[in-house]
Amino acid sequence: MHHFHYKGQDLYCEQVPISEVAQEVGTPFYLYSHATLKQHYTAFDSAFKDIRHLTCFSVKSNSNLAILRLFASQGSGMDIVSGGELYRALKAGVEPEKIVYSGVGKRSEDLEYALESGILMFNVESTQEIQRLNEVAGSLGKKARIAIRVNPDVDPGTHPYIATGMRENKFGIDISEALEHYMAAAGMKNLLVSGVSCHIGSQLTELSPFVDALRRVKELIRKLNGAGIRIDYLDLGGGLGITYRDEAPPHPKEYANAIKPELTGSQLTLILEPGRVIVGNAGILVTTVLYTKTTSQKTFIIVDAAMNDLMRPSLYNSYHEIQPVKIAGNAKVMADIVGPICESGDFFAKGRQIQASGQGDLLAIMSAGAYGFSMSSTYNSRPRVCEVMAIGDKFYTIRARETYEDLVRGENIPDFLRKIS
Ligand SMILES: *Cc1c(COP(=O)(O)O)cnc(C)c1O
């Protein structure tokens, strides 16, 4: 369920006509529905309400402060993967004791920052990281709570770039070798070993890989308990998929119902790190048609948004619905919808049946709330677009469009280049 729908000919977000937002802020822009964000968070979190759990929203999927703030106000924790994401989470008002820190390449200064902030737990991914964390914690006179991120070797059945829990991936420690790493970590003075974590991939549309991974992790926890290592947290990561086109992913309730029976009688706190399933269908990217052209091969609809604004089609060849902001009843055409960037990979759709559009028409690229703005760049020196949140019949800019000055901030021409000889 989301709150993007037509009233008559016009596409609305909640009670806001999208054309009105375009008029006010210009295009392109991201537009999020407050009601959808809140509803998706609540549906997910409440599916686990009868067991001990902590939902930690995955900041990398959408890191806008206003959106983090909204989830924090609903009691959400956060899953972070960098010092910058920690800064955002804290700035948004997230309680540090609800923050878990994942990622294969944490720098010493980021570890320090997180220790000083008092986060809940570090999901550590290598022997060297475990040693580094022990040293950094020691130098600060602190103890770091850790979970080892294990690689359960499960095929999530998703795009190879977002599969993370197979043996060939860079993530985690091979589950079959985890026990020795736990034993080593348990002997380190400045570490408090108390969790097991895994995250097997993203955009999963089946439950069985989650259940397989969970069973393997439970088996490990039994072994750890047997070896005298007490585990309090089981972090199952994120990864639940959404409908972009015709996928039929499980509802969070079905996801919870598959997981909960596996945990009956346990004293573990379950940690969940959903990203896409909460924000994916709560946001769209709105763009204007600049030109159309028909070559001997194809029709192109050239829009003012580009791969730097929404990278998923170029990066993963992923599908996004594209809808007219105004239905005109025109005939349909088969077209490639492309951006202005000087790369043939700069497309949003290829060979798409779409309402014939002309210059100035607005198009909505749907399901762009996750890994949309957060993956954007300024490639081709295109200022990052603005982000807007609609609530009821009102809307607010939650990130200003960048200016040309923003583009060159921090750049410097050294003196030796200033002298024109
Ligand atoms: C990316 C990521 C997530 C979120 O994944 P989604 O598919 O967006 O739910 C959760 N945990 C970790 C460790 C991640 O890297």
Side-chain angles (χ1 to χ4, degrees):
M1 253 311 282
H2 59 68
H3 293 78
F4 299 94
H5 52 88
Y6 287 98
K7 267 193 213 171
Q9 317 283 91
D10 297 295
L11 188 60
Y12 277 65
C13 175
E14 303 197 13
Q15 274 87 67
V16 176
I18 290 172
S19 54
E20 222 165 79
V21 184
Q23 207 141 56
E24 173 101 10
V25 307
T27 60
F29 62 92
Y30 276 92
L31 177 61
Y32 307 103
S33 152
H34 178 273
T36 310
L37 292 164
K38 191 168 164 183
Q39 183 182 307
H40 286 183
Y41 175 80
T42 308
F44 189 93
D45 188 62
S46 64
F48 293 92
K49 66 174 181 296
D50 43 359
I51 66 165
R52 200 187 308 219
H53 78 283
L54 177 62
T55 300
C56 292
F57 173 69
S58 169
V59 174
K60 76 175 190 286
S61 66
N62 189 317
S63 41
N64 184 283
L65 284 182
I67 288 174
L68 301 184
R69 175 70 166 199
L70 163 60
F71 297 143
S73 74
Q74 303 300 302
S76 184
M78 301 280 151
D79 168 48
I80 58 164
V81 294
S82 70
E85 287 192 353
L86 174 56
Y87 178 78
R88 284 181 173 280
L90 295 174
K91 203 153 175 82
V94 179
E95 296 162 56
E97 58 277 17
K98 290 184 178 174
I99 295 176
V100 295
Y101 190 172
S102 309
V104 292
K106 308 179 189 79
R107 302 176 308 163
S108 297
E109 49 269 53
D110 297 329
L111 295 173
E112 261 171 48
Y113 179 27
L115 281 162
E116 296 285 11
S117 307
I119 68 164
L120 175 63
M121 193 160 75
F122 294 83
N123 291 345
V124 294
E125 306 210 15
S126 66
T127 315
Q128 291 183 358
E129 185 192 344
I130 293 169
Q131 286 162 350
R132 174 70 61 86
L133 180 57
N134 183 52
E135 284 160 21
V136 173
S139 72
L140 297 176
K142 294 190 183 289
K143 260 188 182 275
R145 182 183 284 112
I146 67 160
I148 293 184
R149 175 166 173 182
V150 296
N151 184 330
D153 194 30
V154 199
D155 183 354
T158 187
H159 189 284
Y161 288 7
I162 50 178
T164 53
M166 295 202 286
R167 201 165 278 159
E168 68 261 33
N169 299 130
K170 70 178 173 183
F171 300 98
I173 286 178
D174 197 322
I175 195 162
S176 60
E177 294 160 15
L179 182 60
E180 52 186 295
H181 293 278
Y182 270 97
M183 298 301 282
M188 294 185 191
K189 226 169 66 238
N190 310 308
L191 300 183
L192 186 64
V193 177
S194 87
V196 179
S197 82
C198 71
H199 169 72
I200 56 174
S202 198
Q203 184 54 13
L204 274 72
T205 53
E206 304 287 340
L207 290 173
S208 57
F210 289 113
V211 176
D212 287 352
L214 176 55
R215 290 191 179 145
R216 289 178 198 192
V217 167
K218 274 169 51 186
E219 181 53 35
L220 172 63
I221 292 176
R222 257 193 299 277
K223 274 194 219 156
L224 293 172
N225 288 338
I229 296 172
R230 190 190 135 147
I231 297 297
D232 295 316
Y233 296 95
L234 193 171
D235 183 339
L236 200 53
L240 194 56
I242 63 168
T243 303
Y244 285 100
R245 184 180 195 172
D246 48 15
E247 305 90 334
H251 188 274
K253 217 179 260 169
E254 299 171 73
Y255 174 66
N257 287 342
I259 290 165
K260 287 190 288 192
E262 299 288 329
L263 297 171
T264 25
S266 99
Q267 292 305 300
L268 293 164
T269 297
L270 178 66
I271 296 179
L272 300 146
E273 305 173 343
R276 190 189 310 271
V277 68
I278 309 231
V279 291
N281 279 321
I284 64 174
L285 173 62
V286 181
T287 184
T288 301
V289 175
L290 294 174
Y291 307 106
T292 63
K293 71 174 177 184
T294 301
T295 66
S296 60
Q297 304 285 316
K298 279 182 168 183
T299 294
F300 293 98
I301 297 176
I302 301 156
V303 298
D304 65 357
M307 63 187 279
N308 71 298
D309 304 311
L310 176 65
M311 206 181 175
R312 299 189 67 259
S314 329
L315 187 60
Y316 312 125
N317 202 20
S318 52
Y319 182 97
H320 285 265
E321 289 289 346
I322 300 180
Q323 297 184 4
V325 168
K326 192 166 198 65
I327 297 175
N330 297 354
K332 294 212 162 182
V333 291
M334 164 103 89
D336 284 13
I337 294 127
V338 302
I341 283 186
C342 309
E343 302 264 350
S344 293
D346 182 25
F347 64 90
F348 293 113
K350 287 191 165 174
R352 187 71 62 87
Q353 286 287 334
I354 187 169
Q355 168 180 300
S357 351
Q359 282 185 283
D361 288 351
L362 295 169
L363 296 177
I365 303 173
M366 309 304 289
S367 309
Y371 308 102
F373 187 92
S374 66
M375 272 192 172
S376 67
S377 75
T378 58
Y379 184 44
N380 272 211
S381 286
R382 294 166 48 86
R384 262 176 287 240
V385 304
C386 65
E387 294 179 282
V388 177
M389 183 187 283
I391 175 167
D393 59 1
K394 298 196 165 54
F395 61 92
Y396 300 88
T397 297
I398 57 173
R399 190 183 208 274
R401 187 179 302 284
E402 287 182 353
T403 63
Y404 290 153
E405 266 178 12
D406 292 330
L407 276 182
V408 297
R409 173 154 309 135
E411 290 182 33
N412 179 43
I413 300 172
D415 274 345
F416 81 92
L417 287 175
R418 287 185 185 273
K419 299 186 210 100
I420 313 267
S421 58

